[in-house]
Amino acid sequence: MIVFDRVEKRFGDNVVLSDLSFTVAPGEHVTLIGPSGSGKTTILRLLMCLESVTGGTIKVGGKYLSHMEKGGKLVPADEKYSREVRKRIGMVFQQFNLFPNMTVRGNLIEAPTRVLGLSKEEANARAEELLDLVGLKDKIDEHPTRLSGGQQQRVAIARALAMQPDVLLLDEVTSALDPELVAGVLALLRDIGENTDITILCVTHEMGFARDFSHRVMMFDSGQVIEDAPPEKLFTDPDHPRTQEFLKAVLAAG
């Protein structure tokens, strides 16, 4: 479902990702861990087309994301092409990113009606179904500012699912929440993971969640995958000294 092929991302002289290649299979849950600044969130931003690659290619669902084929050659993708491929991808951000001027309902139906072409009736029905899933159906006509942080993040998850994505990206979705709200959001994500066939790529510092939720965990350092293994292997018997060092520090802090 996701293929990174020798991807490089630079910001000026700063190389954030270097010759990065990995794949994520359809329906697989893969979690990226590693120190801050190792390039994890940049990967999600590239998949959302919020950044463009400096080198290499990315495919989603068999289609190039950062490039398109024209005249038998690969050229940088134009906005129209990228927008079509990006429809298949949903993202939940750290800071919720809800539209404060819209109700919860408005947040959930805006993109499905404008981007997917759903009727308002279809989008409304989908919004109600998803809010029921995240336990917030009674908040459908509230504005986000009247909701708690945990409730706002649940709405953000529902909004991402409203686009019926094949791929869901989760960027530190609990980092802005009070500790007592974290467990509820993680339980919701576990439920979504168990009951859908969505491919999920997750960046998190919640090691317990990564261990329970993931089919694979990739350890990042300095823009490279230094270890890629099932969670039971990576968390109990990591091979790379940097992984051992990172997990020791993170688990001790937790």
Side-chain angles (χ1 to χ4, degrees):
M1 182 58 74
I2 300 171
V3 179
F4 272 58
D5 185 12
R6 305 189 68 177
V7 169
E8 180 182 271
K9 178 59 183 175
R10 292 173 176 267
F11 295 98
D13 293 332
N14 182 24
V15 180
V16 179
L17 301 175
S18 173
D19 201 31
L20 177 63
S21 297
F22 69 88
T23 62
V24 180
E28 193 174 23
H29 304 160
V30 176
T31 297
L32 315 180
I33 65 169
S36 296
S38 58
K40 305 181 302 295
T41 293
T42 300
I43 288 169
L44 303 189
R45 291 180 62 82
L46 288 171
L47 284 164
M48 284 298 291
C49 299
L50 298 172
E51 304 285 354
S52 55
V53 298
T54 312
T57 61
I58 300 171
K59 280 185 174 181
V60 176
K63 293 189 174 183
Y64 285 105
L65 178 66
S66 47
H67 295 77
M68 62 185 191
E69 297 180 67
K70 195 173 184 180
K73 294 183 178 180
L74 274 185
V75 299
D78 61 30
E79 178 58 30
K80 182 182 177 184
Y81 175 89
S82 292
R83 197 162 52 238
E84 276 302 307
V85 182
R86 201 169 62 223
K87 283 181 184 178
R88 307 182 69 174
I89 305 169
M91 184 163 176
V92 184
F93 298 85
Q94 294 181 42
Q95 299 294 338
F96 323 139
N97 286 13
L98 299 172
F99 302 120
N101 59 318
M102 293 183 181
T103 62
V104 168
R105 184 195 306 273
N107 270 275
L108 263 67
I109 70 171
E110 176 74 5
T113 53
R114 285 180 177 268
V115 179
L116 298 182
L118 267 61
S119 69
K120 283 205 169 178
E121 292 75 18
E122 289 174 303
N124 260 310
R126 177 79 174 143
E128 289 177 7
E129 177 188 323
L130 287 167
L131 288 171
D132 197 27
L133 172 71
V134 302
L136 290 174
K137 197 171 180 180
D138 61 328
K139 304 293 186 185
I140 193 165
D141 291 316
E142 292 281 9
H143 279 77
T145 51
R146 296 177 61 86
L147 304 180
S148 71
Q151 289 172 332
Q152 288 186 58
Q153 193 59 293
R154 286 169 179 266
V155 172
I157 292 166
R159 183 176 66 175
L161 293 175
M163 290 296 288
Q164 303 170 37
D166 296 320
V167 175
L168 183 63
L169 310 176
L170 305 174
D171 184 20
E172 294 284 11
V173 294
T174 59
S175 66
L177 300 179
D178 292 332
E180 66 268 23
L181 301 175
V182 169
V185 170
L186 294 182
L188 169 63
L189 292 171
R190 284 191 188 95
D191 189 49
I192 291 166
E194 289 171 5
N195 294 295
T196 72
D197 57 2
I198 298 173
T199 304
I200 300 177
L201 191 59
C202 174
V203 170
T204 187
H205 283 105
E206 297 282 346
M207 295 299 116
F209 175 70
R211 188 170 190 159
D212 294 345
F213 180 77
S214 312
H215 298 123
R216 276 166 51 216
V217 178
M218 296 195 298
M219 170 69 188
F220 265 77
D221 195 41
S222 303
Q224 284 285 332
V225 180
I226 61 170
E227 192 157 355
D228 181 347
E232 59 271 20
K233 162 66 176 162
L234 190 133
F235 285 109
T236 59
D237 187 25
D239 292 328
H240 200 287
R242 183 69 183 98
T243 310
Q244 297 167 11
E245 177 189 330
F246 174 77
L247 289 175
K248 186 177 178 183
V250 170
L251 295 174

